[in-house]
Amino acid sequence: MNRQKLLVTGGAGFIGSNFVRHVLQSTGHTVVNLDLLTYAGNRESLDGLDPARHLFVHGDICDGALVRRLLAEHRPEGLVHFAAESHVDRSIDDPGAFIRTNVVGTQTLLDAALDYWKGGAREFRFVHVATDEVYDSLKAGEPEFTEQHRCAPNSPYAASKAAADHLARVWQRTYGLPGDLLDERVPGTRPRRELIEYVTDRPGHDRRYAINAGRIRSELGWTPSVDFAQGLAATVDWYLANRDWWQRLRDGRYRSERLGTAQLT
């Protein structure tokens, strides 16, 4: 069994504590549980958990120094983010507390997690737990929400959770994409992303390719031995180790100039 360590926020709440119990009962993972123990958290929900595999930390997700210390000390493979101010009625009376915890707290976690990931924890994952209340109210005849529903929160609580959802998406889209793997392997030079040059598409340009490998799997029993990320990393490593081979290609007639843009007449 693959044993991992998770940092769980809000793990003393109703959903969070049940998640922690499920992880400990069904896997070999260990859990570091960060919870502020407000009205939404109950320490008794964690009674009976194995202290060798469950560490409770009383603290605030808005405390960036604490979050960074926990990441550095425990080196988790994942952060599962449940912590949030909850209950619509409370948010109407005190919206500021919801903005602080649900929005600023989420940003604090994302910032710390991003730095942790950049610092070498390349297999690390951030899991943000959302709520269906960001989707407005179901209309007559609608059986359930899907991800295709528009985001239209109707309370300060729902708005703060929608903001947290957007932050999680933006941190992944803006900061979380791998940096073309060469920057990790050949540091100290100009980032490769800055070397991207946009050129005119060739005539008949295909935007994307994807194949279904189901037939070769079912008829020949073939399965890939590595996933795409592993294969890409191995390819980059090969090219770095065999510069003489590909350098000769660049020394010939082809100088990386743009080809294939001739217009038909």
Side-chain angles (χ1 to χ4, degrees):
M1 181 180 294
N2 183 22
R3 297 179 181 272
Q4 296 184 343
K5 183 174 290 185
L6 301 177
L7 173 58
V8 177
T9 71
F14 174 70
I15 300 176
S17 63
N18 279 279
F19 172 79
V20 169
R21 287 185 177 278
H22 173 74
V23 167
L24 296 179
Q25 291 169 3
S26 62
T27 74
H29 301 348
T30 59
V31 173
V32 178
N33 188 346
L34 174 62
D35 199 296
L36 191 56
L37 294 180
T38 61
Y39 57 86
N42 186 347
R43 189 73 166 85
E44 295 179 358
S45 299
L46 306 171
D47 285 351
L49 297 183
D50 182 0
R53 295 177 55 212
H54 175 257
L55 172 65
F56 178 77
V57 179
H58 184 203
D60 189 348
I61 61 170
C62 292
D63 185 346
L66 171 61
V67 174
R68 291 171 187 276
R69 178 172 64 80
L70 293 176
L71 291 172
E73 289 183 2
H74 298 283
R75 308 298 297 174
E77 284 79 17
L79 190 161
V80 185
H81 176 32
F82 288 98
E85 294 281 347
S86 59
H87 307 311
V88 171
D89 291 352
R90 287 180 179 271
S91 76
I92 294 171
D93 289 340
D94 187 12
F98 284 70
I99 299 301
R100 177 185 181 275
T101 299
N102 299 354
V103 181
V104 178
T106 298
Q107 182 221 331
T108 301
L109 292 172
L110 288 167
D111 282 342
L114 180 63
D115 288 344
Y116 173 64
W117 180 74
K118 285 182 174 179
R122 307 307 291 181
E123 300 302 318
F124 176 78
R125 293 294 181 269
F126 186 106
V127 179
H128 173 66
V129 180
T131 175
D132 62 354
E133 291 189 50
V134 303
Y135 291 129
D136 197 359
S137 242
L138 280 173
K139 305 299 186 292
E142 285 185 296
E144 58 194 8
F145 287 121
T146 72
E147 292 83 357
Q148 305 307 314
H149 277 75
R150 71 189 184 103
C151 183
N154 292 318
S155 70
Y157 163 67
S160 67
K161 287 294 290 182
D165 292 352
H166 288 306
L167 288 177
R169 178 180 181 275
V170 166
W171 255 244
Q172 190 276 325
R173 295 276 295 189
T174 305
Y175 306 114
L177 296 178
D180 297 353
L181 294 173
L182 280 170
D183 292 336
E184 300 174 22
R185 289 161 166 74
V186 190
T189 58
R190 183 182 175 190
R192 271 65 185 185
R193 187 173 297 276
E194 296 180 6
L195 300 179
I196 295 175
E197 179 182 354
Y198 293 93
V199 299
T200 303
D201 285 341
R202 64 175 178 259
H205 180 66
D206 294 329
R207 294 286 182 180
R208 179 175 179 267
Y209 296 107
I211 64 168
N212 184 326
R215 187 175 179 185
I216 193 172
R217 291 172 185 268
S218 62
E219 296 189 12
L220 300 182
W222 175 88
T223 56
S225 58
V226 298
D227 61 24
F228 178 78
Q230 293 171 321
L232 183 60
T235 300
V236 171
D237 287 337
W238 189 91
Y239 273 91
L240 288 175
N242 294 272
R243 293 174 183 267
D244 290 343
W245 179 86
W246 56 262
Q247 192 62 52
R248 286 196 297 270
L249 300 179
R250 292 178 58 86
D251 290 341
R253 293 181 58 189
Y254 180 49
R255 301 288 183 174
S256 298
E257 67 272 20
R258 186 68 177 98
L259 303 176
T261 59
Q263 298 298 315
L264 297 177
T265 57

Coordinates of all heavy atoms in Angstrom, one line a residue, residues 16-91:
G16 N -15.0 17.2 7.6 CA -13.6 17.0 7.7 C -13.2 15.8 8.6 O -12.3 15.0 8.3
S17 N -13.9 15.7 9.7 CA -13.5 14.6 10.7 C -13.9 13.3 10.1 O -13.2 12.3 10.3 CB -14.2 14.9 12.0 OG -15.7 14.8 11.9
N18 N -15.0 13.2 9.4 CA -15.4 11.9 8.7 C -14.4 11.6 7.6 O -14.1 10.4 7.4 CB -16.8 12.0 8.2 CG -17.9 11.8 9.3 OD1 -18.2 10.7 9.6 ND2 -18.4 12.9 9.8
F19 N -13.9 12.6 6.9 CA -12.9 12.3 5.9 C -11.6 11.8 6.6 O -11.0 10.8 6.1 CB -12.6 13.6 5.1 CG -11.4 13.5 4.2 CD1 -11.5 12.8 3.0 CD2 -10.1 14.0 4.6 CE1 -10.4 12.7 2.1 CE2 -9.0 13.9 3.7 CZ -9.2 13.2 2.5
V20 N -11.2 12.4 7.7 CA -10.0 12.0 8.4 C -10.1 10.5 8.8 O -9.2 9.7 8.7 CB -9.7 12.9 9.6 CG1 -8.6 12.3 10.4 CG2 -9.2 14.3 9.1
R21 N -11.3 10.2 9.4 CA -11.5 8.8 9.9 C -11.5 7.8 8.7 O -10.9 6.7 8.8 CB -12.9 8.7 10.6 CG -12.9 9.4 12.0 CD -14.2 9.2 12.7 NE -14.1 9.7 14.0 CZ -13.5 9.1 15.1 NH1 -13.0 7.9 14.9 NH2 -13.5 9.7 16.3
H22 N -12.1 8.2 7.6 CA -12.1 7.4 6.4 C -10.7 7.1 5.9 O -10.3 6.0 5.6 CB -12.9 8.0 5.3 CG -12.8 7.3 4.0 ND1 -13.5 6.1 3.8 CD2 -12.2 7.6 2.8 CE1 -13.2 5.6 2.6 NE2 -12.4 6.5 2.0
V23 N -9.9 8.2 5.9 CA -8.5 8.0 5.4 C -7.7 7.0 6.3 O -7.0 6.1 5.8 CB -7.8 9.4 5.3 CG1 -6.3 9.2 5.2 CG2 -8.3 10.2 4.2
L24 N -7.8 7.2 7.6 CA -7.1 6.4 8.6 C -7.6 5.0 8.6 O -6.8 4.0 8.8 CB -7.2 7.0 10.0 CG -6.6 8.4 10.1 CD1 -6.8 8.9 11.6 CD2 -5.1 8.4 9.8
Q25 N -8.9 4.8 8.3 CA -9.4 3.4 8.4 C -9.2 2.6 7.1 O -9.1 1.4 7.1 CB -10.9 3.5 8.7 CG -11.2 3.9 10.1 CD -12.7 4.2 10.3 OE1 -13.5 4.0 9.4 NE2 -13.0 4.7 11.5
S26 N -9.2 3.3 6.0 CA -9.1 2.6 4.7 C -7.8 2.7 3.9 O -7.6 2.1 2.9 CB -10.2 3.2 3.7 OG -10.0 4.6 3.5
T27 N -6.8 3.5 4.5 CA -5.5 3.6 3.8 C -4.5 3.5 4.9 O -4.7 3.4 6.1 CB -5.3 4.9 3.1 OG1 -5.1 6.0 4.0 CG2 -6.5 5.2 2.2
G28 N -3.2 3.4 4.5 CA -2.1 3.5 5.4 C -1.6 4.9 5.6 O -0.5 5.1 6.2
H29 N -2.3 5.9 5.1 CA -1.8 7.3 5.2 C -1.8 7.8 6.6 O -2.5 7.3 7.5 CB -2.7 8.2 4.4 CG -2.8 7.8 2.9 ND1 -1.9 6.9 2.3 CD2 -3.6 8.2 1.9 CE1 -2.2 6.8 1.1 NE2 -3.2 7.6 0.8
T30 N -1.0 8.8 6.9 CA -1.1 9.6 8.1 C -1.6 11.0 7.8 O -1.6 11.4 6.7 CB 0.3 9.7 8.8 OG1 1.2 10.3 7.8 CG2 0.9 8.3 9.1
V31 N -2.2 11.6 8.9 CA -2.8 12.9 8.7 C -2.3 13.9 9.7 O -2.3 13.6 10.9 CB -4.4 12.7 8.9 CG1 -5.1 14.1 8.9 CG2 -4.9 11.9 7.7
V32 N -2.0 15.1 9.2 CA -1.8 16.3 10.1 C -3.0 17.1 9.9 O -3.4 17.6 8.8 CB -0.5 17.1 9.6 CG1 -0.3 18.3 10.5 CG2 0.7 16.2 9.7
N33 N -3.7 17.4 11.0 CA -5.0 17.9 11.0 C -5.0 19.4 11.6 O -4.8 19.5 12.8 CB -6.0 17.0 11.8 CG -7.4 17.5 11.8 OD1 -7.7 18.6 11.3 ND2 -8.3 16.6 12.2
L34 N -5.2 20.4 10.8 CA -5.1 21.8 11.2 C -6.5 22.3 11.3 O -7.3 22.4 10.3 CB -4.3 22.6 10.2 CG -4.3 24.1 10.4 CD1 -3.6 24.5 11.8 CD2 -3.5 24.8 9.3
D35 N -6.9 22.7 12.5 CA -8.3 23.2 12.8 C -8.3 24.3 13.9 O -7.6 24.1 14.9 CB -9.2 22.1 13.1 CG -10.7 22.5 12.9 OD1 -11.2 23.4 13.6 OD2 -11.4 21.8 12.1
L36 N -9.0 25.4 13.7 CA -9.1 26.4 14.7 C -10.1 26.2 15.8 O -10.1 26.9 16.8 CB -9.4 27.8 13.9 CG -9.3 29.0 14.7 CD1 -7.9 29.2 15.3 CD2 -9.7 30.2 13.9
L37 N -10.9 25.1 15.6 CA -11.9 24.8 16.6 C -12.8 25.9 17.0 O -13.0 26.3 18.1 CB -11.2 24.3 17.9 CG -10.4 23.0 17.8 CD1 -9.8 22.6 19.1 CD2 -11.3 21.8 17.3
T38 N -13.4 26.5 15.9 CA -14.5 27.5 16.1 C -15.8 26.7 16.3 O -15.8 25.5 16.6 CB -14.6 28.4 14.9 OG1 -15.0 27.6 13.7 CG2 -13.3 29.1 14.6
Y39 N -16.9 27.4 16.1 CA -18.2 26.8 16.3 C -18.4 25.6 15.4 O -19.2 24.7 15.7 CB -19.3 27.8 16.0 CG -19.2 28.4 14.7 CD1 -19.8 27.8 13.5 CD2 -18.6 29.6 14.5 CE1 -19.7 28.4 12.3 CE2 -18.4 30.2 13.2 CZ -19.0 29.6 12.1 OH -18.9 30.1 10.9
A40 N -17.7 25.5 14.3 CA -17.8 24.5 13.3 C -17.0 23.3 13.6 O -17.2 22.2 13.0 CB -17.5 25.0 11.9
G41 N -16.0 23.4 14.5 CA -15.1 22.3 14.8 C -15.3 21.7 16.2 O -15.6 22.4 17.1
N42 N -15.2 20.4 16.3 CA -15.4 19.7 17.6 C -14.2 18.7 17.8 O -14.1 17.8 17.1 CB -16.7 19.0 17.7 CG -17.1 18.5 19.0 OD1 -16.2 18.4 19.9 ND2 -18.3 18.1 19.2
R43 N -13.4 19.0 18.8 CA -12.3 18.1 19.1 C -12.7 16.7 19.4 O -12.0 15.7 19.1 CB -11.5 18.7 20.3 CG -10.2 18.0 20.6 CD -9.1 18.4 19.5 NE -7.8 18.0 19.9 CZ -7.3 16.8 19.8 NH1 -7.9 15.9 19.2 NH2 -6.0 16.6 20.1
E44 N -13.9 16.5 20.0 CA -14.4 15.2 20.3 C -14.7 14.4 19.1 O -14.8 13.1 19.2 CB -15.7 15.3 21.2 CG -15.4 16.0 22.5 CD -16.7 16.1 23.4 OE1 -17.8 15.7 22.8 OE2 -16.6 16.5 24.5
S45 N -14.9 15.0 18.0 CA -15.1 14.3 16.7 C -13.9 13.4 16.3 O -14.0 12.5 15.5 CB -15.4 15.2 15.6 OG -16.6 16.0 15.8
L46 N -12.7 13.7 17.0 CA -11.5 13.0 16.6 C -11.1 12.0 17.7 O -10.0 11.5 17.6 CB -10.4 14.0 16.4 CG -10.7 15.2 15.4 CD1 -9.6 16.2 15.5 CD2 -10.8 14.6 14.0
D47 N -11.9 11.8 18.7 CA -11.6 10.9 19.8 C -11.4 9.5 19.2 O -12.1 9.0 18.3 CB -12.8 10.8 20.8 CG -12.8 12.1 21.7 OD1 -11.9 12.9 21.6 OD2 -13.8 12.2 22.4
G48 N -10.4 8.8 19.8 CA -10.1 7.5 19.5 C -9.2 7.3 18.3 O -8.8 6.1 17.9
L49 N -8.8 8.3 17.6 CA -7.9 8.2 16.5 C -6.5 7.8 16.9 O -6.0 8.3 18.0 CB -7.9 9.5 15.6 CG -9.2 9.9 15.0 CD1 -9.0 11.1 14.1 CD2 -9.8 8.7 14.2
D50 N -5.8 7.1 16.1 CA -4.4 6.6 16.4 C -3.4 7.8 16.4 O -3.2 8.4 15.4 CB -4.0 5.5 15.4 CG -2.6 5.0 15.7 OD1 -2.0 5.4 16.7 OD2 -2.2 4.1 14.9
P51 N -2.9 8.1 17.6 CA -1.9 9.3 17.6 C -0.7 9.0 16.8 O 0.0 10.0 16.5 CB -1.7 9.4 19.1 CG -1.9 8.1 19.7 CD -3.1 7.5 18.9
A52 N -0.4 7.8 16.5 CA 0.8 7.5 15.7 C 0.6 7.9 14.3 O 1.5 8.1 13.5 CB 1.2 6.1 15.8
R53 N -0.7 8.0 13.9 CA -1.0 8.3 12.5 C -1.8 9.6 12.3 O -2.1 10.1 11.2 CB -1.8 7.2 11.8 CG -0.9 5.9 11.7 CD -1.8 4.8 11.1 NE -2.4 5.1 9.9 CZ -3.5 4.7 9.4 NH1 -4.3 3.9 10.2 NH2 -4.0 5.1 8.3
H54 N -2.2 10.2 13.4 CA -3.0 11.4 13.4 C -2.5 12.5 14.3 O -2.4 12.3 15.5 CB -4.5 11.1 13.7 CG -5.3 12.4 13.8 ND1 -5.7 12.9 15.0 CD2 -5.9 13.2 12.8 CE1 -6.5 14.0 14.8 NE2 -6.6 14.2 13.5
L55 N -2.0 13.6 13.8 CA -1.5 14.7 14.6 C -2.5 15.9 14.5 O -2.7 16.4 13.4 CB -0.1 15.1 14.1 CG 0.4 16.4 14.8 CD1 0.7 16.2 16.3 CD2 1.7 16.8 14.1
F56 N -3.1 16.3 15.6 CA -3.9 17.5 15.6 C -3.1 18.7 15.9 O -2.4 18.8 16.9 CB -5.1 17.3 16.6 CG -6.0 18.5 16.6 CD1 -6.9 18.7 15.7 CD2 -5.9 19.5 17.6 CE1 -7.8 19.8 15.7 CE2 -6.7 20.6 17.7 CZ -7.6 20.8 16.7
V57 N -3.4 19.8 15.1 CA -2.7 21.1 15.3 C -3.8 22.1 15.4 O -4.6 22.3 14.5 CB -1.8 21.4 14.2 CG1 -1.1 22.8 14.4 CG2 -0.7 20.4 14.0
H58 N -3.9 22.8 16.6 CA -4.8 23.9 16.8 C -4.3 25.2 16.2 O -3.3 25.7 16.7 CB -5.1 24.1 18.3 CG -6.2 25.1 18.6 ND1 -6.3 25.7 19.8 CD2 -7.2 25.6 17.8 CE1 -7.3 26.6 19.8 NE2 -7.8 26.5 18.6
G59 N -4.9 25.6 15.1 CA -4.3 26.8 14.4 C -5.2 27.3 13.3 O -6.2 26.7 13.0
D60 N -4.8 28.5 12.8 CA -5.6 29.2 11.8 C -5.0 29.1 10.4 O -3.8 29.3 10.3 CB -5.6 30.7 12.3 CG -6.6 31.6 11.5 OD1 -7.1 31.1 10.5 OD2 -6.8 32.7 12.0
I61 N -5.9 28.9 9.4 CA -5.3 28.8 8.1 C -4.8 30.1 7.5 O -4.1 30.2 6.5 CB -6.4 28.2 7.1 CG1 -7.6 29.0 7.0 CG2 -6.7 26.7 7.5 CD1 -8.6 28.6 5.9
C62 N -5.2 31.2 8.2 CA -4.8 32.5 7.8 C -3.4 32.8 8.3 O -2.8 33.8 8.0 CB -5.7 33.6 8.3 SG -7.3 33.6 7.5
D63 N -2.8 31.9 9.2 CA -1.5 32.0 9.7 C -0.5 31.4 8.8 O -0.2 30.2 8.8 CB -1.4 31.4 11.1 CG -0.1 31.5 11.8 OD1 0.9 32.0 11.1 OD2 0.0 31.2 13.0
G64 N 0.0 32.2 7.8 CA 0.9 31.7 6.8 C 2.1 31.1 7.3 O 2.6 30.1 6.8
A65 N 2.7 31.7 8.4 CA 3.9 31.1 9.0 C 3.7 29.7 9.5 O 4.5 28.8 9.3 CB 4.5 32.0 10.1
L66 N 2.5 29.5 10.1 CA 2.2 28.2 10.6 C 2.0 27.2 9.5 O 2.5 26.0 9.6 CB 0.9 28.2 11.5 CG 0.3 26.9 11.9 CD1 1.3 26.1 12.8 CD2 -1.0 27.1 12.7
V67 N 1.3 27.5 8.5 CA 1.0 26.6 7.4 C 2.4 26.2 6.7 O 2.6 25.1 6.4 CB 0.1 27.3 6.3 CG1 0.0 26.4 5.1 CG2 -1.3 27.6 6.9
R68 N 3.2 27.2 6.5 CA 4.5 26.9 5.9 C 5.4 26.0 6.7 O 6.1 25.1 6.2 CB 5.3 28.2 5.6 CG 4.6 29.0 4.5 CD 5.2 30.4 4.3 NE 4.5 31.2 3.4 CZ 4.6 31.2 2.1 NH1 5.6 30.4 1.5 NH2 3.9 32.0 1.3
R69 N 5.3 26.2 8.1 CA 6.1 25.4 9.0 C 5.6 23.9 8.9 O 6.3 23.0 8.9 CB 6.0 25.9 10.4 CG 6.7 25.0 11.4 CD 6.7 25.7 12.8 NE 5.4 25.8 13.4 CZ 4.8 24.8 14.0 NH1 5.3 23.6 14.1 NH2 3.6 25.1 14.5
L70 N 4.2 23.7 8.9 CA 3.7 22.4 8.8 C 4.1 21.7 7.5 O 4.4 20.5 7.5 CB 2.2 22.4 9.0 CG 1.6 22.9 10.3 CD1 0.1 23.0 10.3 CD2 2.0 22.0 11.4
L71 N 4.1 22.4 6.4 CA 4.5 21.8 5.2 C 6.0 21.4 5.2 O 6.3 20.4 4.7 CB 4.2 22.8 4.0 CG 2.7 23.1 3.7 CD1 2.6 24.2 2.7 CD2 2.1 21.8 3.1
A72 N 6.8 22.3 5.7 CA 8.2 22.1 5.8 C 8.6 20.9 6.7 O 9.5 20.1 6.4 CB 9.0 23.3 6.2
E73 N 7.9 20.9 7.8 CA 8.2 19.8 8.8 C 7.7 18.5 8.5 O 8.4 17.4 8.7 CB 7.7 20.2 10.2 CG 8.4 21.4 10.9 CD 7.9 21.7 12.3 OE1 7.0 21.0 12.7 OE2 8.4 22.7 12.9
H74 N 6.5 18.4 7.9 CA 5.8 17.1 7.7 C 5.9 16.6 6.3 O 5.7 15.4 6.0 CB 4.4 17.2 8.2 CG 4.3 17.5 9.7 ND1 4.5 16.5 10.6 CD2 4.0 18.6 10.3 CE1 4.3 17.1 11.8 NE2 4.0 18.4 11.7
R75 N 6.2 17.5 5.3 CA 6.4 17.1 3.9 C 5.3 16.3 3.4 O 5.5 15.1 2.9 CB 7.7 16.4 3.7 CG 9.0 17.1 4.3 CD 9.2 18.4 3.7 NE 9.5 18.3 2.2 CZ 9.7 19.3 1.4 NH1 9.6 20.5 1.9 NH2 9.9 19.1 0.1
P76 N 4.0 16.8 3.5 CA 2.9 16.0 3.0 C 2.9 15.9 1.5 O 3.4 16.7 0.8 CB 1.7 16.8 3.5 CG 2.2 18.2 3.5 CD 3.6 18.1 3.9
E77 N 2.2 14.8 1.0 CA 2.0 14.6 -0.4 C 0.8 15.4 -0.9 O 0.6 15.5 -2.1 CB 1.9 13.2 -0.8 CG 3.3 12.4 -0.8 CD 3.7 12.1 0.6 OE1 2.9 12.1 1.5 OE2 4.9 11.7 0.7
G78 N -0.1 15.8 0.0 CA -1.3 16.4 -0.4 C -1.9 17.3 0.7 O -1.6 17.1 1.9
L79 N -2.6 18.4 0.3 CA -3.3 19.2 1.2 C -4.8 19.2 0.8 O -5.1 19.6 -0.3 CB -2.8 20.7 1.2 CG -3.2 21.6 2.3 CD1 -2.3 22.8 2.4 CD2 -4.6 22.2 2.0
V80 N -5.6 18.8 1.7 CA -7.1 18.7 1.5 C -7.7 19.8 2.3 O -7.7 19.8 3.6 CB -7.6 17.3 1.9 CG1 -9.1 17.2 1.5 CG2 -6.8 16.2 1.2
H81 N -8.3 20.8 1.6 CA -8.8 22.0 2.3 C -10.3 22.0 2.5 O -11.1 22.3 1.6 CB -8.4 23.2 1.4 CG -8.8 24.5 1.9 ND1 -9.0 24.8 3.2 CD2 -9.2 25.6 1.2 CE1 -9.4 26.1 3.3 NE2 -9.5 26.6 2.1
F82 N -10.7 21.6 3.8 CA -12.1 21.7 4.2 C -12.4 23.0 5.0 O -13.5 23.4 5.0 CB -12.4 20.5 5.1 CG -12.5 19.2 4.4 CD1 -11.4 18.3 4.5 CD2 -13.6 18.8 3.8 CE1 -11.5 17.1 3.9 CE2 -13.7 17.6 3.2 CZ -12.7 16.7 3.2
A83 N -11.4 23.6 5.6 CA -11.6 24.7 6.6 C -12.4 25.8 6.0 O -12.0 26.3 4.9 CB -10.3 25.2 7.1
A84 N -13.4 26.2 6.6 CA -14.2 27.4 6.2 C -15.2 27.8 7.2 O -15.7 27.0 8.0 CB -15.0 27.0 4.9
E85 N -15.5 29.1 7.2 CA -16.6 29.6 8.0 C -17.9 29.1 7.2 O -17.9 29.2 6.0 CB -16.6 31.2 8.0 CG -15.5 31.8 8.7 CD -15.7 31.7 10.2 OE1 -16.8 31.5 10.7 OE2 -14.7 32.0 11.0
S86 N -18.8 28.6 8.0 CA -20.0 28.1 7.3 C -21.3 28.6 7.9 O -21.3 29.5 8.8 CB -20.0 26.5 7.5 OG -20.0 26.2 8.8
H87 N -22.4 28.2 7.4 CA -23.8 28.7 7.8 C -24.1 30.0 7.2 O -23.5 31.0 7.5 CB -24.0 28.7 9.3 CG -23.6 27.4 10.0 ND1 -24.0 26.2 9.5 CD2 -22.8 27.2 11.0 CE1 -23.6 25.2 10.3 NE2 -22.8 25.8 11.2
V88 N -25.2 30.0 6.3 CA -25.6 31.2 5.6 C -26.0 32.3 6.6 O -25.7 33.5 6.5 CB -26.8 30.9 4.7 CG1 -27.4 32.2 4.1 CG2 -26.3 30.0 3.5
D89 N -26.8 31.9 7.7 CA -27.2 32.9 8.6 C -26.1 33.7 9.3 O -26.2 34.9 9.4 CB -28.1 32.3 9.7 CG -29.4 31.7 9.2 OD1 -29.7 32.1 8.0 OD2 -30.1 31.0 9.9
R90 N -25.1 33.0 9.7 CA -23.9 33.6 10.3 C -23.2 34.6 9.3 O -22.7 35.7 9.7 CB -22.9 32.6 10.7 CG -23.3 31.8 12.0 CD -22.2 30.8 12.3 NE -22.5 30.1 13.6 CZ -22.2 30.5 14.8 NH1 -21.5 31.6 14.9 NH2 -22.5 29.8 15.8
S91 N -23.2 34.2 8.0 CA -22.5 35.1 7.0 C -23.3 36.4 6.8 O -22.7 37.4 6.5 CB -22.4 34.3 5.7 OG -23.6 34.2 5.0

